């Protein structure tokens, strides 16, 4: 039985990469045009949402989204979520309709095809470089001035499989305070079980999402960063426990 499960997991992983690459290859000319100007990013974002939905459906993931509050159109937000799966990017794109820009680690730019567009549409950060972190703030500011939102997975990396929720970095919260934008906490309940970074794992099934009430940053200063971090962390951790109970 274990042998047949291993065969399934190998084929399932290969199928995922096919689903990721196929729309990019088919739509490559349109995607190239859509990233020629930053002002055309909302069009690229719409295509990205279709790409993400195509992958999730193709993988047999049944997405269930609960929203306690709905983002307003043409308003900027800081979207945050727990990060334990290769499908987190796709699920975030399906969950959020407001055009947003990912802030993520530069290593993702090395992924064939996907990395080409990720590098040109996201804000990449080298966490070992203070200069790079400063550049992130400046690029994010420009994107927010263009009416975009920002998305950050505040755990920073992918935690050990046995860690329910890793410690949050402060960057997302400091940025939200500096730019006076609400924080939208989002909990992904099943991504680790559905499609984690462990190769021999995963299966079709339900993906639960909860978009919590927004956390206001009005009147806050950088001194409130840690408190805001803890508030968001506790909210997501409690929801993860509720999902697993």
């Amino acid at each position: 039985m274990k042998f047949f499960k291993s065969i399934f997991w190998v084929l399932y992983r290969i199928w995922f990469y096919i689903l990721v690459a196929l729309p990019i290859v088919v739509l490559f000319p349109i995607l190239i045009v859509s990233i020629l100007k930053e002002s055309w990013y909302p069009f690229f974002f719409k295509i990205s949402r279709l790409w993400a939905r195509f992958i999730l459906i193709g993988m047999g993931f049944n997405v269930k989204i609960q929203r306690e509050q709905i983002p307003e159109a043409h308003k900027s937000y800081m979207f945050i979520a727990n990060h334990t799966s290769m499908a987190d990017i796709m699920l975030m794109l399906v969950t959020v309709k407001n055009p947003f820009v990912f802030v993520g680690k530069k290593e993702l730019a090395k992924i064939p095809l996907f990395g080409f567009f990720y590098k040109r549409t996201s804000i990449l950060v080298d966490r070992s470089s203070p200069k790079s972190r400063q550049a992130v703030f400046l690029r994010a500011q420009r994107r927010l001035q263009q009416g975009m939102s920002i998305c950050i997975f505040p755990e920073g990396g992918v935690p050990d499989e046995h860690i329910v929720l890793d410690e949050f970095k402060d960057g997302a919260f400091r940025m939200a305070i500096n730019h006076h934008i609400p924080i939208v906490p989002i909990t992904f309940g099943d991504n680790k079980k559905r499609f984690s970074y462990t190769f021999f794992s995963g299966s079709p099934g339900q993906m639960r999402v909860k978009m919590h009430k927004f956390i206001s940053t009005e009147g806050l200063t950088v001194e409130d960063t840690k408190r805001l971090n803890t508030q968001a962390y506790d909210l997501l951790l409690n929801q993860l426990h509720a999902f697993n109970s």
Side-chain angles (χ1 to χ4, degrees):
M1 181 60 71
K2 188 174 182 180
F3 172 76
F4 289 109
K5 281 186 176 181
S6 297
I7 293 297
F8 167 78
W9 283 324
V10 170
L11 294 176
Y12 200 50
R13 293 277 157 168
I14 293 172
W15 179 239
F16 173 78
Y17 293 118
I18 290 173
L19 290 175
V20 169
L22 185 60
I24 297 176
V25 172
V26 172
L27 299 174
F28 194 81
I30 297 174
L31 291 170
I32 286 291
V33 171
S34 69
I35 64 172
L36 291 178
K37 291 185 179 180
E38 284 192 349
S39 59
W40 294 349
Y41 180 79
F43 176 66
F44 174 84
F45 184 80
K46 288 181 179 179
I47 299 175
S48 297
R49 295 192 74 231
L50 293 174
W51 167 79
R53 191 174 296 278
F54 172 80
I55 294 169
L56 296 182
I57 292 174
M59 292 296 289
F61 299 145
N62 180 25
V63 178
K64 299 289 185 181
I65 304 174
Q66 177 188 355
R67 295 180 175 90
E68 292 186 336
Q69 193 172 348
I70 299 175
E72 298 177 28
H74 312 299
K75 188 172 180 180
S76 296
Y77 298 89
M78 172 64 71
F79 296 101
I80 66 167
N82 52 310
H83 187 31
T84 56
S85 170
M86 298 176 71
D88 290 342
I89 289 176
M90 295 81 182
L91 189 56
M92 182 64 79
L93 285 166
V94 168
T95 301
V96 177
K97 296 180 180 180
N98 296 49
F100 65 80
V101 177
F102 281 108
V103 174
K105 52 188 179 182
K106 64 176 185 177
E107 288 79 10
L108 291 177
K110 299 176 182 179
I111 300 174
L113 280 180
F114 169 83
F116 175 84
F117 291 100
Y118 182 83
K119 181 178 180 180
R120 288 158 180 78
T121 58
S122 301
I123 300 173
L124 305 187
V125 57
D126 179 357
R127 299 184 188 279
S128 64
S129 168
K131 185 177 180 181
S132 174
R133 293 198 296 269
Q134 179 62 31
V136 166
F137 276 87
L138 296 175
R139 290 191 63 192
Q141 183 176 36
R142 188 174 76 248
R143 286 304 211 171
L144 289 167
Q145 290 171 346
Q146 294 169 348
M148 302 293 121
S149 293
I150 301 295
C151 175
I152 296 179
F153 296 110
E155 287 172 281
V158 179
D160 183 280
E161 291 289 318
H162 303 291
I163 297 176
V164 177
L165 187 66
D166 207 358
E167 181 180 338
F168 283 179
K169 304 294 190 296
D170 287 336
F173 308 100
R174 190 181 301 114
M175 191 182 298
I177 291 172
N178 286 341
H179 297 298
H180 311 293
I181 56 175
I183 295 171
V184 182
I186 301 171
T187 306
F188 296 155
D190 307 287
N191 289 18
K192 185 185 295 186
K193 178 167 56 179
R194 294 280 77 86
F195 204 74
S196 75
Y197 278 80
T198 299
F199 190 86
F200 291 104
S201 66
S203 66
Q206 183 172 248
M207 273 186 166
R208 292 167 295 176
V209 180
K210 184 166 184 179
M211 181 179 288
H212 303 272
K213 289 183 179 179
F214 308 161
I215 301 175
S216 174
T217 60
E218 287 299 320
L220 301 185
T221 66
V222 290
E223 283 73 25
D224 297 297
T225 299
K226 282 294 182 185
R227 180 182 62 80
L228 204 60
N229 181 326
T230 301
Q231 181 182 351
Y233 180 90
D234 290 344
L235 184 64
L236 266 66
L237 183 60
N238 290 337
Q239 184 60 51
L240 286 170
H241 287 317
F243 275 142
N244 294 326
S245 63

